[in-house]
Amino acid sequence: AIQLTQSPSSLAASVGDRVTITCRASQDIDSVLAWYQQKPGKAPKLLIYDASTLESGVPSRFRGSSSGTEFTLTISSLQPEDFATYYCQQFNTYPLTFGGGTKVEIK
Amino acid sequence: QVQLQESGPGLVKPSQTLSLTCTVSGGPITSGSYHWSWIRQPGGKGLEWIGRIHTSGTTKYNPSLMSRVSISIDTSKNLFSLNLNSVTAADTAVYYCARDMDDSGYDYWGQGTLVTVSS
């Protein structure tokens, strides 16, 4: 199975900060990768698909990018509602797999 | 607006079968080229993909669960179902159903249902 390694596993940041989360795939996944935001007690919410396409209705401060097997989610200016856990997921190869998550907390 | 709603027992005894349904509203489950999936999340942990069924009926499962899992679709009732047999405490989790189109991310999710495996 393709492993997705997210880093860091957690981070503390302030409102207005630029935040970067990395997801590294154990093999080529042809950029078929999605990013989700999950808040406590809620289902995940799709932010980005195909590594860099912003889902409809998602604020433009969220950006996805890729370089080979390394994928990045960037939040350009962290807002209070962005404190949550973020997951990456690959759709390239079965079984579909998720990264371990990155928890973004308030500094 | 598409909505997904999980339903089923919240408590299952060890060695028995966990059965959940996901009712889809807001459109026919067979419209478009969608996959309908089950995903679970043990308390405080990450997400695990269980498997999915295409509108054509083709299924794919996580090998870690393949011997115990089946997913089916009932187009007459606009729902799809999960059966997981021989459950243990390790199967205790929040179970989500979700939809994706052409591998472009899960755009619609149910609210999740907690299933506890305990005697």
Side-chain angles (χ1 to χ4, degrees):
Chain A
I2 292 176
Q3 311 267 7
L4 297 177
T5 303
Q6 282 186 238
S7 60
S9 56
S10 66
L11 65 89
S14 301
V15 172
D17 283 354
R18 180 185 183 90
V19 169
T20 299
I21 299 168
T22 298
C23 175
R24 189 168 284 108
S26 60
Q27 62 191 73
D28 180 36
I29 58 171
D30 201 24
S31 294
V32 191
L33 182 119
W35 288 97
Y36 302 90
Q37 175 193 69
Q38 186 179 34
K39 295 181 179 180
K42 300 292 187 183
K45 173 188 174 183
L46 179 63
L47 300 174
I48 302 278
Y49 62 92
D50 290 342
S52 60
T53 302
L54 195 67
E55 171 71 352
S56 176
V58 174
S60 59
R61 63 180 180 273
F62 291 94
R63 188 174 74 90
S65 61
S66 66
S67 176
T69 57
E70 185 169 298
F71 300 85
T72 301
L73 174 69
T74 301
I75 309 171
S76 59
S77 178
L78 199 66
Q79 297 302 300
E81 60 268 30
D82 300 336
F83 291 96
T85 300
Y86 293 84
Y87 293 94
C88 57
Q89 184 207 2
Q90 64 84 18
F91 279 87
N92 185 68
T93 303
Y94 289 113
L96 308 188
T97 48
F98 290 87
T102 296
K103 187 174 184 179
V104 178
E105 299 175 296
I106 302 172
K107 183 184 283 185
Chain B
Q1 175 78 347
V2 173
Q3 290 186 312
L4 284 68
Q5 175 77 52
E6 303 93 348
S7 59
L11 181 64
V12 180
K13 288 182 166 50
S15 80
Q16 294 192 341
T17 297
L18 180 161
S19 296
L20 296 174
T21 61
C22 181
T23 301
V24 179
S25 59
I29 198 169
T30 53
S31 71
S33 182
Y34 295 120
H35 287 100
W36 304 94
S37 296
W38 289 97
I39 295 153
R40 69 181 183 179
Q41 185 171 37
K45 297 188 178 180
L47 299 160
E48 180 183 27
W49 181 77
I50 298 171
R52 68 181 185 179
I53 186 165
H54 190 260
T55 49
S56 65
T58 302
T59 53
K60 293 289 186 182
Y61 302 122
N62 192 324
S64 68
L65 300 168
M66 190 178 293
S67 63
R68 300 194 290 131
V69 67
S70 67
I71 297 173
S72 59
I73 195 165
D74 186 334
T75 56
S76 66
K77 296 181 179 178
N78 226 45
L79 60 80
F80 62 106
S81 301
L82 169 70
N83 281 323
L84 181 67
N85 58 40
S86 304
V87 296
T88 70
D91 295 309
T92 294
V94 174
Y95 285 74
Y96 294 102
C97 57
R99 183 193 89 166
D100 83 88
M101 182 173 73
D102 294 334
D103 297 338
S104 296
Y106 289 113
D107 56 353
Y108 288 99
W109 295 69
Q111 85 278 10
T113 188
L114 174 62
V115 179
T116 301
V117 178
S118 175
S119 55

